[in-house]
Amino acid sequence: MKMINRRIALGMMAAIPAFIYGCSGSNAGKKDEEELGGKLSKVFMTKEITPAGLLAVYKALGREATGKVAVKVSTGEPGGRNFLSPTLVKDFVQSMNGTIVECNTAYGGSRSDTASHLEAAKEHGWTAIADIDILDTDGEISLPIKTGKHIKEDIVGSHFRNYDFFVILSHFKGHTMGGFGGAIKNMSIGFASSGGKAWIHSAGENKISPVTDWGSIPNNPFLESMAEAAKAIADDCGEKILYI
């Protein structure tokens, strides 16, 4: 009997910190929501990393991608594997008749021009599931950044204006300069033209691509510029954007 009581007591003691943590998190969430005017976004999570699981998450959002839909992914470096599997996202992309969109890189290599970028996309299987549009093929446009600390404009591929709705489909990874790569990097660096990428990386110092002197770039201004560029995309899209 003593052993049973001891186990019950230990169980209760173990449960108390979890209960307190839950209450603390709830109160903090309410406070944040009040400060933001009740506009906190709902975030859904799934452990089912399958084509069906991806579609289920999309449906749970309750936000239908309509019109001409751009699906922003990273097509991946030739020879690398740090990109989403086209097989995984195929049903999702095709369910909205989406176009895979990307921009050319600012560091040379096999994705610095449209022809080689499309070839890399083909090698990785992207062209087999959807049309591909390299947004800065025909130039670039500027989006304003109203409260930018480092940059006052975000320079994106000119084809950006050809789409009605944007789906930010991101993979999560560690990144040498950007810390953890995800939706913010996918939106900022991802939508930026080659010159726009140089603009973000240099925190508004230059638009020269390809960038050659990566070591001279201070990290914090770059990260802040990346966030500012992502905000420009979000502000421009308004309600016509979702993130997975």
Side-chain angles (χ1 to χ4, degrees), residues 167-232:
V167 177
I168 311 301
L169 189 56
S170 308
H171 66 289
F172 186 79
K173 68 171 185 175
H175 191 273
T176 304
M177 296 185 70
F180 290 112
I184 291 178
K185 182 174 182 292
N186 198 12
M187 291 169 67
S188 55
I189 297 296
F191 276 120
S193 64
S194 293
K197 287 177 171 64
W199 184 243
I200 296 169
H201 272 287
S202 67
E205 291 295 325
N206 70 75
K207 304 172 185 177
I208 300 172
S209 175
V211 177
T212 55
D213 189 13
W214 294 98
S216 67
I217 300 170
N219 204 48
N220 284 346
F222 157 57
L223 294 176
E224 291 167 354
S225 297
M226 193 162 60
E228 291 168 0
K231 185 177 185 300

Side-chain angles (χ1 to χ4, degrees), residues 10-187:
L10 287 172
M12 291 176 66
M13 289 174 67
I16 288 172
F19 176 74
I20 293 172
Y21 179 81
C23 289
S24 175
S26 176
N27 290 337
K30 288 179 180 178
K31 182 179 179 182
D32 289 342
E33 191 166 349
E34 289 171 1
E35 291 176 353
L36 293 172
K39 295 181 180 179
L40 287 181
S41 299
K42 289 184 178 179
V43 178
F44 297 85
M45 174 183 170
T46 181
K47 294 182 179 179
E48 187 184 347
I49 312 302
T50 64
L54 185 57
L55 282 169
V57 168
Y58 170 54
K59 291 177 181 177
L61 289 172
R63 297 270 303 280
E64 184 181 0
T66 57
K68 190 173 182 181
V69 179
V71 181
K72 177 65 185 72
V73 302
S74 172
T75 50
E77 282 296 317
R81 307 310 308 169
N82 292 324
F83 55 90
L84 292 170
S85 165
T87 303
L88 172 66
V89 306
K90 175 183 175 181
D91 293 347
F92 171 73
V93 173
Q94 293 183 354
S95 73
M96 58 192 68
N97 195 28
T99 298
I100 299 294
V101 300
E102 262 276 42
C103 276
N104 291 317
T105 64
Y107 48 77
S110 299
R111 292 193 300 153
S112 60
D113 65 88
T114 297
S116 58
H117 200 155
L118 288 173
E119 185 60 31
K122 180 180 179 180
E123 290 175 4
H124 288 165
W126 293 108
T127 57
I129 71 165
D131 291 336
I132 311 292
D133 186 3
I134 307 302
L135 298 180
D136 58 339
T137 296
D138 298 312
E140 57 194 29
I141 60 173
S142 174
L143 303 180
I145 301 175
K146 299 175 183 177
T147 57
K149 176 182 176 182
H150 301 287
I151 55 177
K152 303 299 182 183
E153 62 175 340
D154 184 28
I155 305 165
V156 302
S158 62
H159 293 187
F160 181 84
R161 287 288 179 231
N162 294 345
Y163 296 91
D164 304 308
F165 200 106
F166 292 86
V167 177
I168 311 301
L169 189 56
S170 308
H171 66 289
F172 186 79
K173 68 171 185 175
H175 191 273
T176 304
M177 296 185 70
F180 290 112
I184 291 178
K185 182 174 182 292
N186 198 12
M187 291 169 67

